[in-house]
Tab-separated table of all heavy atoms in Angstrom:
chain	number	residue	atom	x	y	z
A	238	TYR	N	2.731	13.343	67.294
A	238	TYR	CA	3.814	12.621	67.967
A	238	TYR	C	3.319	11.183	68.052
A	238	TYR	O	2.498	10.842	68.911
A	238	TYR	CB	4.026	13.244	69.347
A	238	TYR	CG	5.275	12.805	70.058
A	238	TYR	CD1	6.530	13.178	69.586
A	238	TYR	CD2	5.215	12.037	71.221
A	238	TYR	CE1	7.684	12.804	70.253
A	238	TYR	CE2	6.372	11.659	71.891
A	238	TYR	CZ	7.594	12.054	71.409
A	238	TYR	OH	8.743	11.688	72.067
A	283	ASP	N	15.559	8.191	72.407
A	283	ASP	CA	14.945	9.525	72.496
A	283	ASP	C	13.640	9.499	71.688
A	283	ASP	O	13.368	10.391	70.889
A	283	ASP	CB	15.932	10.576	71.977
A	283	ASP	CG	15.427	12.012	72.169
A	283	ASP	OD1	14.506	12.220	72.977
A	283	ASP	OD2	15.965	12.917	71.497
A	286	TYR	N	13.964	10.093	67.934
A	286	TYR	CA	14.905	11.119	67.460
A	286	TYR	C	16.340	10.562	67.464
A	286	TYR	O	17.315	11.306	67.450
A	286	TYR	CB	14.767	12.411	68.274
A	286	TYR	CG	13.542	13.203	67.835
A	286	TYR	CD1	12.307	13.018	68.450
A	286	TYR	CD2	13.604	14.083	66.761
A	286	TYR	CE1	11.173	13.703	68.025
A	286	TYR	CE2	12.481	14.771	66.323
A	286	TYR	CZ	11.274	14.577	66.953
A	286	TYR	OH	10.161	15.263	66.514
A	287	ASP	N	16.418	9.252	67.494
A	287	ASP	CA	17.686	8.526	67.388
A	287	ASP	C	17.431	7.448	66.329
A	287	ASP	O	16.896	6.391	66.613
A	287	ASP	CB	18.070	7.907	68.740
A	287	ASP	CG	16.931	7.125	69.422
A	287	ASP	OD1	15.752	7.567	69.377
A	287	ASP	OD2	17.219	6.042	69.960
A	323	VAL	N	15.993	14.091	60.915
A	323	VAL	CA	16.878	14.168	62.089
A	323	VAL	C	18.281	13.777	61.646
A	323	VAL	O	18.673	12.604	61.698
A	323	VAL	CB	16.376	13.233	63.210
A	323	VAL	CG1	17.149	13.494	64.501
A	323	VAL	CG2	14.879	13.429	63.453
A	326	HIS	N	22.325	14.188	63.976
A	326	HIS	CA	22.867	12.976	64.573
A	326	HIS	C	22.069	11.780	64.080
A	326	HIS	O	20.957	11.935	63.576
A	326	HIS	CB	22.779	13.058	66.103
A	326	HIS	CG	21.437	13.576	66.583
A	326	HIS	ND1	21.208	14.920	66.819
A	326	HIS	CD2	20.257	12.952	66.833
A	326	HIS	CE1	19.956	15.092	67.205
A	326	HIS	NE2	19.334	13.911	67.213
A	374	PHE	N	21.463	17.003	76.986
A	374	PHE	CA	20.809	16.042	77.875
A	374	PHE	C	21.696	15.727	79.086
A	374	PHE	O	21.731	14.602	79.564
A	374	PHE	CB	20.478	14.753	77.109
A	374	PHE	CG	19.346	14.900	76.110
A	374	PHE	CD1	19.095	13.884	75.187
A	374	PHE	CD2	18.528	16.026	76.097
A	374	PHE	CE1	18.054	13.993	74.268
A	374	PHE	CE2	17.487	16.152	75.177
A	374	PHE	CZ	17.250	15.140	74.260
A	393	PHE	N	23.527	15.550	72.009
A	393	PHE	CA	22.385	15.075	72.806
A	393	PHE	C	22.825	13.813	73.572
A	393	PHE	O	23.928	13.781	74.096
A	393	PHE	CB	21.165	14.867	71.893
A	393	PHE	CG	20.669	16.203	71.373
A	393	PHE	CD1	21.195	16.765	70.216
A	393	PHE	CD2	19.723	16.929	72.085
A	393	PHE	CE1	20.792	18.024	69.773
A	393	PHE	CE2	19.308	18.185	71.648
A	393	PHE	CZ	19.845	18.730	70.483
A	397	GLN	N	23.120	9.225	70.519
A	397	GLN	CA	22.817	10.081	69.371
A	397	GLN	C	24.094	10.760	68.851
A	397	GLN	O	24.256	11.981	68.979
A	397	GLN	CB	21.772	11.129	69.775
A	397	GLN	CG	20.416	10.517	70.142
A	397	GLN	CD	19.464	11.496	70.794
A	397	GLN	OE1	19.736	11.983	71.884
A	397	GLN	NE2	18.353	11.804	70.144
A	427	ARG	N	10.375	18.789	58.501
A	427	ARG	CA	10.705	19.583	59.685
A	427	ARG	C	12.107	19.099	60.069
A	427	ARG	O	12.333	17.907	60.239
A	427	ARG	CB	9.671	19.295	60.758
A	427	ARG	CG	9.967	19.913	62.127
A	427	ARG	CD	10.801	18.995	62.993
A	427	ARG	NE	10.985	19.502	64.340
A	427	ARG	CZ	11.794	18.958	65.226
A	427	ARG	NH1	12.481	17.879	64.930
A	427	ARG	NH2	11.914	19.481	66.415
A	429	ASP	N	15.153	18.731	62.367
A	429	ASP	CA	15.554	18.705	63.767
A	429	ASP	C	16.884	19.427	63.996
A	429	ASP	O	17.869	19.150	63.291
A	429	ASP	CB	15.705	17.225	64.165
A	429	ASP	CG	15.792	17.014	65.656
A	429	ASP	OD1	14.775	17.196	66.339
A	429	ASP	OD2	16.887	16.660	66.142
A	430	VAL	N	16.914	20.309	64.969
A	430	VAL	CA	18.132	21.066	65.367
A	430	VAL	C	19.085	21.315	64.192
A	430	VAL	O	20.295	21.106	64.295
A	430	VAL	CB	18.875	20.413	66.562
A	430	VAL	CG1	18.035	20.498	67.817
A	430	VAL	CG2	19.269	18.973	66.324
A	492	GLU	N	14.174	23.575	62.702
A	492	GLU	CA	14.177	23.811	64.149
A	492	GLU	C	15.527	24.396	64.529
A	492	GLU	O	16.575	23.794	64.252
A	492	GLU	CB	13.946	22.495	64.905
A	492	GLU	CG	13.738	22.733	66.389
A	492	GLU	CD	14.135	21.554	67.274
A	492	GLU	OE1	14.965	20.720	66.857
A	492	GLU	OE2	13.615	21.471	68.394
A	564	HIS	N	6.201	18.580	71.225
A	564	HIS	CA	6.538	17.412	72.046
A	564	HIS	C	7.687	17.681	73.021
A	564	HIS	O	8.021	16.809	73.814
A	564	HIS	CB	6.889	16.250	71.119
A	564	HIS	CG	8.119	16.523	70.309
A	564	HIS	ND1	8.161	17.495	69.330
A	564	HIS	CD2	9.371	15.994	70.349
A	564	HIS	CE1	9.373	17.535	68.810
A	564	HIS	NE2	10.117	16.630	69.407
A	565	ASP	N	8.304	18.847	72.935
A	565	ASP	CA	9.417	19.182	73.830
A	565	ASP	C	9.031	20.198	74.900
A	565	ASP	O	9.863	20.549	75.741
A	565	ASP	CB	10.574	19.788	73.021
A	565	ASP	CG	11.217	18.792	72.081
A	565	ASP	OD1	11.197	17.581	72.384
A	565	ASP	OD2	11.740	19.223	71.033
A	651	ARG	N	9.364	17.132	79.398
A	651	ARG	CA	8.738	16.926	78.085
A	651	ARG	C	7.646	15.861	78.150
A	651	ARG	O	6.783	15.794	77.272
A	651	ARG	CB	9.814	16.539	77.068
A	651	ARG	CG	10.981	17.511	77.038
A	651	ARG	CD	11.883	17.297	75.858
A	651	ARG	NE	12.535	16.003	75.835
A	651	ARG	CZ	13.373	15.602	74.884
A	651	ARG	NH1	13.650	16.412	73.881
A	651	ARG	NH2	13.949	14.415	74.905
A	655	ARG	N	3.649	14.403	76.313
A	655	ARG	CA	3.707	13.111	75.629
A	655	ARG	C	2.710	12.097	76.150
A	655	ARG	O	2.703	10.944	75.709
A	655	ARG	CB	5.135	12.569	75.727
A	655	ARG	CG	6.112	13.531	75.069
A	655	ARG	CD	7.552	13.119	75.197
A	655	ARG	NE	8.411	14.084	74.492
A	655	ARG	CZ	9.710	13.958	74.326
A	655	ARG	NH1	10.338	12.905	74.835
A	655	ARG	NH2	10.398	14.867	73.664
B	997	NOJ	C1	14.802	18.301	69.038
B	997	NOJ	C2	13.644	17.370	69.139
B	997	NOJ	O1	12.458	18.089	69.001
B	997	NOJ	C3	13.764	16.661	70.459
B	997	NOJ	O2	12.624	15.925	70.780
B	997	NOJ	C4	14.980	15.805	70.420
B	997	NOJ	O3	15.181	15.216	71.672
B	997	NOJ	C5	16.224	16.600	70.045
B	997	NOJ	N1	15.995	17.523	68.987
B	997	NOJ	C6	17.318	15.691	69.614
B	997	NOJ	O4	16.973	15.090	68.388
Side-chain angles (χ1 to χ4, degrees):
Y238 192 68
D283 186 18
Y286 282 91
D287 49 321
V323 190
H326 45 268
F374 289 169
F393 292 87
Q397 295 169 296
R427 173 271 186 188
D429 194 71
V430 293
E492 189 207 24
H564 64 293
D565 293 331
R651 308 192 297 180
R655 300 176 178 186

